[in-house]
Amino acid sequence: MLNLDNQHWLESIGIQQQHLSAGAEGLTSAEANVRIARYGENIISVIKKSSLVLQFLSRFRNPLVILLLVASAVSAFTADLVSFVIIVCMVVFSVTLDFIQEHRAENAAQALRRSVAVKATVLRDQNLTEVNVELIVPGDVVLLSAGDLVPADGLIIEADDFFVNQALLTGEPYPIEKHSTNKIEPEINQAPLELDAAINVVFAGTHVVSGSAKILVCVTGSHTALGDISSALNITPPPTAFEQSVYRFGMLILRLTFFLVLFVLLVILLQHRPWLESFMFALALAVGLTPELLPMIITVTLSRGAIRMSHQHVIVKRLSAIHNLGSMDILCTDKTGTLTEAKIRLERHLDYAGMDSERVLLWAYLNSFFETGLKSPLDEAILRHETLNVSAWQKLDEVPFDFERRRVSVLLSNQNDRFLVVKGACEDVLHLCNRYELSSMEISLLDANKLSKLNLRAVELAQQGFRVLGIAWRKVESGHMHANVSDEAELVFAGFAAFLDPPKISASSALAKLQKSGITIKIVTGDSELVTQYVCRQLELNVKGVLTGAEIVQMSDEALRAKVNSINLFCRVTPALKSRVITALKQRGHVVGYLGDGINDAPALHLADVSISVDTAVDVAKDAADLILLTHDLNVLHQGVVEGRRTFGNIMKYVMMGTSSNFGNMFSMAGAALFLPFLPMLPIQILLNNLLYDLSEITIPFDNVDTEYLKKPRQWDMKFIRNFMLLVGPVSSIFDFLTFYVMLNVFNAKEGLFRTGWFVESIVTQVLVIFIIRTRRNIFKSKPNSWLVYTSLLIVGVAITLPFTSIGAYFGFSPLPIKFFTILLTMGIGYLVMVEFVKRWFYRVYNKSKF
């Protein structure tokens, strides 16, 4: 636990007050620039980003690269300088290509993230201006209001009913009221305090629940309390679903490589071949089996997807979230602004008898006008409805809104009278009332019969699509200066405020598109089940089941997990209950997305597999989100889902093609090593084969994806990948063995010609088979991207012409007879036709779940 001394807090954190050299007027832009150079950016990061040179050199720590460098060193040691130069050049070329592509992709993704960066309002040059939180420096004066993230640690200069949630640092879920330094009691300054007792200090990473404040920034970045905790814990975040899938794929390849290389090495050594040659061959075999460009392909494909999604008005903050978006099968969303227009209107202000009442409007207006918390759309609707003169009223105190109480209270004075005015969820407000208002002059006791009638009236309004708030008040003693939750009792019920938020015209078609795409929509809202069901009927959204917050509270986690699949409306839920719903869905094996834009959505956003917010959301929601929608529209989200599936589809193409082709070639080499008196291909030729094949694949991120592939969620399936590899790979080996027969028996080839023939056949077949494997359709009914066609044909052309060049001689190639290419054409066509038939059979059987 962090200890603070409020009186000498600046000294305790290593900052002398005179060093801040700042007052309530803030800093100049020039001074801010000086301080950003002195203190660094306001970023909490345990790991510092290396320079470009170090980032480039770090690529050489890849185990495969190290193995190749060892091989080059062995070649140099044995005076095989040609192999040494070729291997080193290939390694440098591969690493440089990988580095440049990933660096460009990461820069593009970072630019998109900066476009939705969290900003803060600061005083610069004595003017209010918005800056990215990374540019805030010690000495800045920052203005905070409800919904803002606190950008740095600082002292409070001014505060007005300022409540902050510090759960991130203390674990305490309830907001704490903060005061300016001149309101601190003297005795508090005399002793060290725990973090949650430092009521004149705010801390980075916490967020404002209600009220407003002006703070003097004292500490930024990793020197903040949050930075200290992050550095001390240094906890690696849990792997995402995407990272886990890549890891499982890597382990599959590793096991396969280990056993195949071990087998080949054992066979070669039993044949008493030179140990150096055997070692180099096994090493090349291991490299050939490994899709070493996979990290680059993944990064480039994801960044390409992020750029395309930005054109669809979706900004990606975390690249791996694109995979989760494509895999998402359940979307949990709020109702307001997503299914409705978010243009809420106050339609009725009714008394106990259901008649329009100006007095009910006055109480509601007073509450909304003087509330200092984050103004909800309901508050804005009340204030927009009619402008009332409230100059005779003065605010004394406030009990801010929270999601457990579901109400807000303000303490007001009017001449010699003082009133507590309460506005909130109708059933909760009625529960606190023991009287009701007949007129401005007459009050009656609220008995059980009348309470039942008032509840029934609220239900009737909700069934008509109105969102209903209860309005109540209570007169308090003249000496009553402060309000608290205990004052919210024995209230006088004034009446109802009824609001309409019409269903969004575009929402119905958007919901239909998402559901047609295999995504189940679940509404998770704090609104009543009656209003939500009314909106669902308007949008033709079938309601399968309803759970209220009160019912969820009574359920165990196991019971909720058993029930959650059959329910698609979760109503009257608090933030904690939203988190329980998300957790239950994830435990049922679903990939869950959550769309939210409010303070109450932050916990669920952190829990969801893919968290989605909008650019108009409060800071705490935007900060928690993986994706930011620039338009609050489910049509935009559907476009993002499609783009996520397209991105994932292109990653899977590389995985499927690389594993099946590489496995087939390496399986052929292992088989050839059993009966050939020489190595079927030189190590340097294997490496060149692998490099050329990878170069043909670098345009996969730009490839087209079949429309039917985009129609349902997609996830990594190791069984699918393994079976496809084990089925298609041996087909390649059949034609490899046929090539062996042709070279040995038709052309009576010696070592050099044999290796050249197989090298050319291997490159031609495994590059052209890309056009078969990239689609589940007939090859002629799926159009590839032009760049993929160009790079593939270019690599095929290079492989065919290489043996006829002087460069080919350095790799040990010999010119091939013209007759070979006639045979190659026949075998190539036969191979592609056979793979096409095997592919169709595989998908037909696999789709029936028999494979």
Side-chain angles (χ1 to χ4, degrees), residues 86 682 684-685 751-753 755-756 807-814:
I86 291 175
L682 293 175
I684 198 70
Q685 294 169 344
E751 296 178 17
L753 187 62
R755 291 165 179 162
T756 304
I807 297 175
Y810 286 104
F811 287 93
F813 295 136
S814 303

Side-chain angles (χ1 to χ4, degrees), residues 540-839:
E540 299 180 350
L541 180 64
N542 185 34
V543 177
K544 298 178 180 178
V546 181
L547 266 183
T548 65
E551 292 170 330
I552 296 174
V553 167
Q554 301 300 318
M555 301 173 72
S556 65
D557 289 340
E558 292 75 16
L560 179 60
R561 194 160 54 244
K563 190 81 172 174
V564 74
N565 271 356
S566 60
I567 303 297
N568 65 341
L569 293 191
F570 300 88
C571 303
R572 303 179 191 268
V573 289
T574 63
L577 295 180
K578 289 183 179 183
S579 297
R580 285 189 63 192
V581 170
I582 300 296
T583 300
L585 288 168
K586 290 176 65 175
Q587 290 173 345
R588 291 296 299 266
H590 297 289
V591 178
V592 183
Y594 186 86
L595 173 59
D597 62 355
I599 296 175
N600 59 322
D601 294 311
L605 286 168
H606 279 292
L607 271 177
D609 291 300
V610 53
S611 51
I612 309 159
S613 193
V614 293
D615 62 338
T616 56
V618 297
D619 286 351
V620 67
K622 287 171 64 176
D623 185 66
D626 300 321
L627 306 169
I628 302 292
L629 306 185
L630 301 183
T631 304
H632 204 163
D633 185 350
L634 284 178
N635 280 303
V636 172
L637 181 57
H638 176 259
Q639 293 165 359
V641 167
V642 171
E643 200 56 56
R645 292 176 184 177
R646 178 180 289 113
T647 300
F648 180 68
N650 282 334
I651 291 175
M652 289 307 299
K653 287 177 187 178
Y654 177 81
V655 170
M656 302 293 287
M657 291 185 291
T659 51
S660 58
S661 296
N662 287 355
F663 174 72
N665 279 342
M666 298 310 113
F667 184 76
S668 300
M669 289 188 189
L674 292 175
F675 67 87
L676 286 176
F678 52 84
L679 291 179
M681 199 179 290
L682 293 175
I684 198 70
Q685 294 169 344
I686 297 175
L687 297 178
L688 179 61
N689 181 297
N690 196 51
L691 176 64
L692 290 176
Y693 177 69
D694 281 335
L695 288 175
S696 72
E697 306 262 284
I698 62 174
T699 52
I700 282 181
F702 304 93
D703 192 24
N704 305 320
V705 178
D706 297 336
T707 53
E708 60 269 22
Y709 188 89
L710 307 175
K711 289 183 178 179
K712 66 178 184 178
R714 301 290 176 176
Q715 300 180 26
W716 285 74
D717 186 341
M718 291 304 123
K719 180 182 176 183
F720 175 86
I721 295 172
R722 183 200 65 201
N723 289 343
F724 189 86
M725 177 183 69
L726 294 177
L727 182 65
V728 176
V731 174
S732 172
S733 296
I734 291 173
F735 284 84
D736 285 336
F737 290 131
L738 182 58
T739 302
F740 297 164
Y741 175 83
V742 169
M743 297 308 298
L744 292 173
N745 294 280
V746 176
F747 296 107
N748 297 314
K750 302 301 182 183
E751 296 178 17
L753 187 62
F754 178 92
R755 291 165 179 162
T756 304
W758 186 35
F759 175 86
V760 172
E761 181 269 344
S762 174
I763 285 290
V764 170
T765 54
Q766 70 176 332
V767 169
L768 293 181
V769 82
I770 289 173
F771 300 103
I772 303 291
I773 298 177
R774 60 169 291 278
T775 177
R776 299 188 181 193
R777 295 179 181 177
N778 182 304
I779 183 175
F780 300 109
K781 294 182 179 180
S782 178
K783 183 180 179 181
N785 181 271
S786 298
W787 283 108
L788 182 61
V789 176
Y790 297 151
T791 54
S792 299
L793 295 180
L794 176 63
I795 295 303
V796 168
V798 169
I800 290 174
T801 58
L802 188 61
F804 299 95
T805 66
S806 58
I807 297 175
Y810 286 104
F811 287 93
F813 295 136
S814 303
L816 291 162
I818 300 301
K819 184 179 178 182
F820 169 82
F821 293 101
T822 303
I823 297 174
L824 175 63
L825 178 63
T826 304
M827 288 195 302
I829 293 174
Y831 170 64
L832 296 178
V833 171
M834 187 171 181
V835 172
E836 176 69 20
F837 278 110
V838 169
K839 179 191 73 174

Side-chain angles (χ1 to χ4, degrees), residues 401-408 422-434 446 451 455 458 468-472 488-491 493 526 550 572 574:
F401 179 88
D402 68 63
F403 297 98
E404 298 296 329
R405 290 167 42 252
R406 300 198 301 167
R407 57 185 177 272
V408 59
V422 182
K423 175 181 89 264
C426 196
E427 64 274 19
D428 292 337
V429 171
L430 278 169
H431 180 71
L432 300 171
C433 296
N434 62 358
L446 182 60
L451 178 62
N455 276 316
V468 185
L469 295 183
I471 312 298
E488 297 173 335
E490 299 181 350
L491 302 176
F493 185 75
R572 303 179 191 268
T574 63

Side-chain angles (χ1 to χ4, degrees), residues 342-361:
K343 297 178 181 177
I344 298 177
R345 303 188 305 269
L346 176 62
E347 292 288 327
R348 309 287 302 276
H349 34 92
L350 308 174
D351 62 12
Y352 77 98
M355 305 298 293
D356 285 326
S357 168
E358 292 301 315
R359 188 164 172 82
V360 172
L361 176 61

Side-chain angles (χ1 to χ4, degrees), residues 128-193:
L128 290 179
T129 183
E130 285 199 342
V131 301
N132 288 349
V133 294
E134 291 87 353
L135 301 180
I136 287 176
V137 295
D140 262 328
V141 173
V142 178
L143 276 66
L144 299 173
S145 59
D148 289 345
L149 276 175
V150 177
D153 292 359
L155 290 170
I156 299 174
I157 302 171
E158 299 174 7
D160 183 11
D161 291 320
F162 188 56
F163 286 79
V164 177
N165 186 305
Q166 299 186 152
L168 179 67
L169 298 176
T170 66
E172 173 58 52
Y174 298 105
I176 297 173
E177 186 171 12
K178 300 276 188 174
H179 304 280
S180 58
T181 51
N182 60 3
K183 290 189 178 181
I184 301 299
E185 298 296 331
E187 62 271 16
I188 293 181
N189 284 327
Q190 304 305 315
L193 296 173

